[in-house]
Amino acid sequence: MNAKNKMLLCHFVALMVVTIWGSTFVFTKLLLLEGFSAAQIFTLRFLIAYVLLLAFQMLTKSFRMLADSWRDELIMLGLGVTGGSVYFLAENTALNYTTTTNTSLIVCSCPLVAALMIGLFYKSERMSRTQLVGALMAVMGVAVVVMNGRFVLHLSPVGDVLALSANFCWAVYSLLMIPVGRRYDSLLITRKVFFYGLLTMIPYYLSKPDEAALFFTPHTFAFSFSFSPSIVLNLLYLGCIASMFCFLAWTWVMKRLGAVVATNYVYINPLTTIVFAWWLLSEPITVWFLLGALLIIAGMYLADKNERKCKQADGNNWKAI
């Protein structure tokens, strides 16, 4: 496969991952309607993904317990927190205090925040003026899609701060992925993200014993999984596809496209969410969706215009300040 085809494959995988992640909002909503909490859904999907990935590594004899150093192990812990437990808790809890519009706008602008943050540490990842204009255009497109013609924002300090926290978490996750991505394979990194994401959920469950009962009361656990086959299918989709496969693929993509270019695909998230909502929940698609989609695609094109031919994949080309 030549270099051009490899590049196209990287972009296709990134698009596929973000498309699947966009669908998770719909499948998560279906589980919420069945009585699960957001924390329980996150824990179950990460647990399924971790067990499957661990079993695969054990069978292929590629399992290793720890990273090469405690510093790297701490970075793995940071990935589990920023890309797992704290990110999902902040994003889902924000919905209890502010509108879905506010949350979506703030969280989906994370590629811009990530690019600015990464640019502070890595010279090769700093955005040009063209890329900055493209990023701002994509953010405008997200705003048009999410607000759907209703250009009204309701400020809610607690909810908006939580959404900003989720935004910041994903930016830090993208930043931390750079050094470990150069030294470790995608399987180890992804498994560590799941492990530390689950481990750092323990303090939350200690403060929420009613939610923890799902995992520690056999009767409750069995009942939750017996009354509807759709629950099992939804959890398997979220755990096997949206978590294990997508996180693994996303780590692979970030190592080859670079953190900034890969993260730009997050702008597509609202588009895929609305398409799946139209397909599965019969929610309408409006002209605002089409206008926002055009802005997002044009903005992403400009943001990727000065892409550096995947030279980020070679660790020797990274120049930290």
Side-chain angles (χ1 to χ4, degrees), residues 281-304:
L281 303 178
S282 300
E283 295 184 5
I285 290 179
T286 68
V287 66
W288 295 105
F289 169 83
L290 300 176
L291 176 60
L294 288 175
L295 283 171
I296 290 172
I297 293 170
M300 287 185 62
Y301 172 78
L302 291 176
D304 291 349

Side-chain angles (χ1 to χ4, degrees), residues 2 8 13 41 89 114 116 141 168 173-174 196 203 231-232 250 261 269 277 279 293 311:
N2 59 41
L8 290 174
V13 172
I41 295 170
L89 286 176
L116 293 173
F168 180 76
Y173 178 82
S174 301
Y196 284 119
I231 290 179
V232 177
W250 191 251
V261 174
N269 228 322
W279 178 32
K311 75 176 182 179

Side-chain angles (χ1 to χ4, degrees), residues 206-231:
L206 291 176
S207 66
K208 300 282 187 178
D210 292 340
E211 292 190 42
L214 172 68
F215 308 104
F216 297 110
T217 305
H219 171 73
T220 305
F221 186 83
F223 175 75
S224 296
F225 276 86
S226 61
F227 64 85
S228 174
S230 65
I231 290 179

